[in-house]
């Protein structure tokens, strides 16, 4: 028994170094990284611009309380608004904290500005985090077990069913929170028209539509934000994971008129928006935009999806290949729980969700050769398993 609490089933490897799409363990062995810290290091590991920005900022100022103005916070909030929608931003430190902030903002907006009920509707299969409110919002019973009593005011409806959503939206509901593509739930894309339909239902009733883009954001799906595929703008969007390319950070992005539900004293975070995090985010976002990284990820994703679909003829156990950009799920018939461990032996980092879905979320800068390397190893692994 170690001193670290047992909250993860960890693989027997110590990763010590990374560059681009590759990481090295403590014995110097390298691995092709198809996980990217779970959709975090979208520019690849130790991207030189992000490293340099952190180095410079570390020599100037690590931390500054939000009791004072933080220039880089103001710049980043403006940049996020420029590349998404007219908004104001609250910075925090993780995805769960961003969603917790969005939930608080929705409740406060309902009670002070829109006078709607406090209930928040979420979707079955969703994942929004591990704090008490966000695990309650999450549409998977396994994350809630043993943590009762849970906060009140959440309702989960079936995934992708507009009729069920419409039925749930009575006047006790103030907001709908959903991932534009479900990540932990199994890389599930809602049916065509679902997000537009949800937008329309929320507009008709004055209900907030909040998109959790913690996993889908920052180019992961081939657009900077996944909602941009559907031309549906949310009232509130949450970000984290790739926002700082691995530096811990989160954000609640809310349109004017909603953002003002927060006022001094209603929400806060000691570390939220600290200069180091802001420096990492500014460097990440500028590389992302200047180098057209979402577009590069989209092309790599199309190549991987096409190749994985071609693999179906060799591997009948592949039931479906789905996803968008470099957020790809390969659903298999058969037990693939040991794939991440088997992958280590062949020099690749792989991730499996829901016991049967191989999730590929590599850095968006993955090259054609690296895609081919990953495909060859996956083919070998499935062949060895008789899948
Ligand atoms: C869609 C989504 N929301 C929220 C979270 C929680 O983020 P964090 O682990 O940074 O709290 C995750 C993490 O996987 C996620 O995928």
């Amino acid at each position: 028994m170690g001193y670290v609490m047992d909250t993860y089933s960890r693989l027997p490897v110590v990763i010590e170094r990374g560059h681009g799409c590759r990481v090295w363990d403590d014995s110097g062995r390298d691995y092709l990284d198809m996980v990217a810290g779970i959709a975090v290091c979208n520019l690849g590991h130790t991207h030189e611009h992000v490293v340099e920005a952190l180095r410079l900022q570390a020599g100037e100022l690590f931390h500054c309380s939000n009791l004072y103005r933080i220039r880089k916070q103001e710049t980043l909030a403006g940049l996020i608004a420029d590349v998404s929608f007219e908004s104001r931003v609250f910075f925090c430190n993780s995805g769960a904290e961003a969603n917790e902030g969005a939930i608080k903002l929705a409740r406060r907006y309902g009670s002070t500005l829109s006078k709607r009920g406090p209930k928040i509707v979420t979707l079955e299969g969703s994942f929004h985090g591990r704090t008490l409110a966000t695990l309650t919002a999450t549409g998977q019973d396994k994350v809630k077990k043993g943590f009762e009593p849970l906060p009140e005011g959440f309702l989960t409806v079936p995934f992708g069913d507009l009729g069920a959503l419409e039925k749930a939206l009575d006047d006790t509901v103030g907001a709908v929170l959903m991932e534009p593509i479900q990540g932990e739930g199994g890389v599930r894309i809602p049916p065509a028209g679902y997000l537009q339909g949800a937008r329309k239902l929320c507009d008709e009733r004055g209900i907030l539509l909040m998109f959790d883009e913690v996993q889908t954001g920052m180019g992961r799906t081939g657009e900077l934000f996944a909602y941009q595929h559907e031309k549906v703008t949310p009232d509130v969007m949450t970000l984290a994971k790739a926002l700082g390319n691995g530096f811990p950070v989160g954000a609640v992005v809310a349109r004017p008129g909603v953002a003002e539900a927060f006022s001094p004293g209603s929400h806060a975070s000691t570390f939220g928006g600290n200069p180091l995090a802001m420096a990492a985010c500014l460097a990440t976002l500028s590389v992302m935009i200047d180098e057209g990284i979402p577009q590069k990820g989209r092309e790599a994703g199309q190549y991987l999806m096409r190749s994985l679909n071609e693999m179906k003829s060799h591997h009948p156990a592949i039931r479906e290949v789905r996803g968008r950009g470099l957020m790809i799920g390969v659903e298999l018939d058969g037990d693939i729980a040991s794939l991440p461990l088997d992958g280590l032996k062949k020099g690749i980092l792989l991730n499996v969700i829901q016991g049967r879905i191989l999730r590929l979320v590599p850095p968006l800068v993955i090259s054609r050769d690296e895609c081919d390397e990953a495909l060859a190893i996956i083919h070998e692994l499935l062949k060895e398993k008789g899948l």
Side-chain angles (χ1 to χ4, degrees):
M1 201 186 80
Y3 289 103
V4 176
M5 280 198 203
D6 233 1
T7 58
Y8 280 83
S9 312
R10 293 175 195 268
L11 291 162
V13 63
V14 178
I15 306 291
E16 282 196 332
R17 201 160 56 81
H19 189 70
C21 291
R22 223 160 269 277
V23 295
W24 285 260
D25 72 12
D26 54 356
S27 72
R29 176 157 193 212
D30 71 295
Y31 303 83
L32 179 61
D33 186 0
M34 299 302 283
V35 183
I38 315 189
V40 168
C41 301
N42 285 7
L43 302 181
H45 296 276
T46 58
H47 190 284
E48 56 172 333
H49 288 4
V50 184
V51 171
E52 191 50 25
L54 278 169
R55 226 194 284 278
L56 277 175
Q57 187 59 51
E60 280 180 6
L61 185 70
F62 277 35
H63 176 73
C64 172
S65 167
N66 284 297
L67 291 171
Y68 311 97
R69 283 181 62 190
I70 298 173
R71 182 86 63 198
K72 286 192 169 73
Q73 224 182 76
E74 297 169 10
T75 308
L76 180 64
L79 199 55
I80 290 174
D82 283 349
V83 296
S84 57
F85 51 91
E86 198 190 344
S87 55
R88 300 176 75 187
V89 185
F90 172 83
F91 291 106
C92 54
N93 308 284
S94 70
E97 198 187 339
N99 285 330
E100 188 82 27
I103 290 164
K104 281 183 68 179
L105 183 69
R107 284 200 178 176
R108 184 96 168 177
Y109 176 75
S111 64
T112 61
L113 299 176
S114 78
K115 310 287 180 212
R116 284 201 64 92
K119 213 182 274 172
I120 294 182
V121 172
T122 63
L123 304 188
E124 281 175 8
S126 61
F127 183 79
H128 298 295
R130 299 283 188 165
T131 62
L132 271 178
T134 58
L135 74 82
T136 308
T138 291
Q140 301 184 56
D141 287 343
K142 65 183 182 198
V143 309
K144 309 183 196 210
K145 231 173 128 202
F147 295 114
E148 300 83 359
L150 301 175
E152 290 176 10
F154 293 89
L155 175 71
T156 303
V157 297
F159 172 78
D161 180 343
L162 267 185
L165 181 64
E166 181 168 17
K167 232 164 95 190
L169 297 185
D170 60 24
D171 57 14
T172 65
V173 174
V176 174
L177 171 65
M178 62 174 76
E179 302 155 81
I181 297 176
Q182 288 190 348
E184 303 306 300
V187 188
R188 294 166 87 201
I189 304 175
Y194 182 78
L195 297 183
Q196 279 117 336
R199 177 71 275 177
K200 187 162 173 280
L201 290 173
C202 287
D203 283 344
E204 286 164 1
R205 291 160 178 77
I207 291 172
L208 296 181
L209 180 61
M210 310 201 292
F211 284 161
D212 175 345
E213 292 244 18
V214 166
Q215 187 161 153
T216 52
M218 299 304 288
R220 174 55 53 193
T221 68
E223 292 283 353
L224 195 52
F225 305 108
Y227 76 80
Q228 292 166 336
H229 290 286
E230 310 280 341
K231 303 189 173 39
V232 177
T233 308
D235 300 296
V236 178
M237 164 172 80
T238 53
L239 299 172
K241 286 197 184 277
L243 184 57
N245 206 47
F247 198 95
V249 62
V252 183
V253 183
R255 72 164 166 82
V258 177
E260 291 69 33
F262 278 162
S263 52
S266 53
H267 196 52
S269 169
T270 294
F271 292 128
N274 68 77
L276 272 178
M278 296 299 96
C281 293
L282 282 169
T284 302
L285 199 50
S286 58
V287 173
M288 188 127 308
I289 292 161
D290 295 348
E291 298 183 14
I293 300 294
Q295 174 66 24
K296 286 186 181 156
R298 186 189 317 169
E299 284 159 18
Q302 283 163 353
Y303 178 68
L304 273 178
M305 294 248 293
R306 204 170 48 241
S307 309
L308 287 161
N309 268 311
E310 282 163 15
M311 267 167 71
K312 274 183 179 166
S313 56
H314 300 284
H315 301 288
I318 297 181
R319 181 188 285 198
E320 192 186 13
V321 179
R322 55 179 182 260
R324 211 163 256 170
L326 276 171
M327 183 168 175
I328 299 174
V330 185
E331 182 156 357
L332 285 122
D333 284 321
D335 184 9
I336 56 163
S338 68
L339 219 55
L341 184 59
D342 301 337
L344 278 187
K345 295 172 194 149
K346 293 195 186 291
I348 193 169
L349 302 189
L350 294 173
N351 174 246
V352 169
I353 42 176
Q354 306 291 334
R356 60 182 199 287
I357 299 156
L358 171 64
R359 172 173 54 177
L360 301 174
V361 282
L364 306 183
V365 294
I366 189 168
S367 68
R368 186 61 67 97
D369 284 351
E370 287 165 333
C371 287
D372 286 337
E373 184 183 341
L375 289 162
I377 301 176
I378 291 166
H379 168 62
E380 241 178 80
L381 286 168
L382 294 183
K383 201 164 91 186
E384 284 171 15
K385 286 190 156 315
L387 299 169

